[in-house]
Amino acid sequence: MSSPAPPTPRVTRPVRLGPRSIAALVLISAIGVVFFGWPLLAGGSSGLAAHSGDAPWLFGALLPLLVAVVVATIADSGMDAKAVAMLGVLAAVGAALRPLGAGTAGLEPMFFLMVLSGRVLGPGFGFVLGAVTMFASALLTGGVGPWMPFQMLSMGWFTMGAGLLPGAERLRGRAELLMLAVYGALAAFAYGTVMNLYGWTIISGLSSGISFHPGAPVHENLVRFLAYCAATSLGWDLGRAVLTVVLTFTLGATLLKALRRATRRAAFEALATFEAPGGGPRP
């Protein structure tokens, strides 16, 4: 008598992106790039104060577009209230983690959670999670200010990038952890660099070698910007990157299993089937 075939392992797939989700993410990212980068292309008469007033406009555009991403993802993938509840839980945990290292050499464990959550749940879910987590942490820590919508957008990109990494359905084990650690380290520096681009253009009184010169050629300002990053935030970004790598290697496997188990139980994309009274499938 032949032995039964081993059961097929259940694969946890990230929440897929449909055409509406992609369109919403492209739109919100394009708007974000414009808000971050327009001072580099503006004339010298525009003034630095103009960029400091961007926050209300970006926040006003960000909130409805975040809702649009959620609605589009639900429409494209069939997510239900369980997914929204999971989004709330992860955002609350991330918001609670952020104050643990605030003000201490960039040691922010929230970034580790965002990387792994984006990996398991996909880019659309990840973008919304990153932005909502940053919003919740700002309310929790009193960090509400003109920088907040820029932080929300940057964290959304950070978490979305983890969902875009290859091998989501096949790559497991140490190879996956290594890929996530490398991404987390690089993205930690990228997050700090993007946020520097906002702050650098509105700070005056710096030395001429690192200060922003409105109306100057873009390549000259970019050289000053790199010098500014090296002089002001490189150590902070390094601490964030190192902690993200350490937590990914030590706790990543356990957290990935927990997130994938929760996603399977939530069955975000499960298809409803009906059976006839006799037990066979109903046509």
Side-chain angles (χ1 to χ4, degrees), residues 103-223:
T104 311
L107 302 180
E108 298 175 275
M110 178 184 74
F111 285 79
F112 151 74
L113 176 63
M114 294 298 102
V115 171
L116 270 64
S117 299
R119 171 64 172 176
V120 173
L121 297 166
F125 193 105
F127 182 89
V128 177
L129 174 62
V132 171
T133 301
M134 190 58 72
F135 177 76
S137 68
L139 298 180
L140 181 64
T141 61
V144 177
W147 54 84
M148 185 185 69
F150 292 89
Q151 289 179 327
M152 291 172 61
L153 190 58
S154 299
M155 185 57 69
W157 286 334
F158 179 99
T159 313
M160 179 179 69
L164 293 173
L165 293 173
E169 299 179 7
R170 302 177 302 277
L171 191 62
R172 294 291 187 270
R174 292 182 179 179
E176 182 179 36
L177 289 179
L178 177 61
M179 180 182 66
L180 293 176
V182 171
Y183 171 80
L186 295 177
F189 281 101
Y191 172 86
T193 301
V194 170
M195 283 306 303
N196 280 342
L197 185 58
Y198 163 72
W200 174 65
T201 55
I202 61 176
I203 295 176
S204 58
L206 300 174
S207 67
S208 60
I210 63 174
S211 62
F212 173 58
H213 292 185
V218 174
H219 68 277
E220 293 182 7
N221 267 329
L222 288 179
V223 170

Side-chain angles (χ1 to χ4, degrees), residues 222-249:
L222 288 179
V223 170
R224 297 187 187 98
F225 175 63
L226 292 178
Y228 170 83
C229 292
T232 59
S233 67
L234 184 61
W236 186 278
D237 295 338
L238 179 62
R240 181 191 300 122
V242 169
L243 181 63
T244 301
V245 170
V246 170
L247 291 178
T248 299
F249 280 125

Side-chain angles (χ1 to χ4, degrees), residues 13 19 31-32 34 46 55 57 61 64 80 90 95 107 110 122-123 145 165 167 222 234 244 254-255 260 268 282:
R13 296 179 175 85
I31 292 175
V34 171
S46 61
W57 298 100
D80 56 14
L90 289 174
L107 302 180
M110 178 184 74
L165 293 173
L222 288 179
L234 184 61
T244 301
T254 302
L255 184 55
R260 284 172 173 145
F268 293 156
R282 181 176 296 177

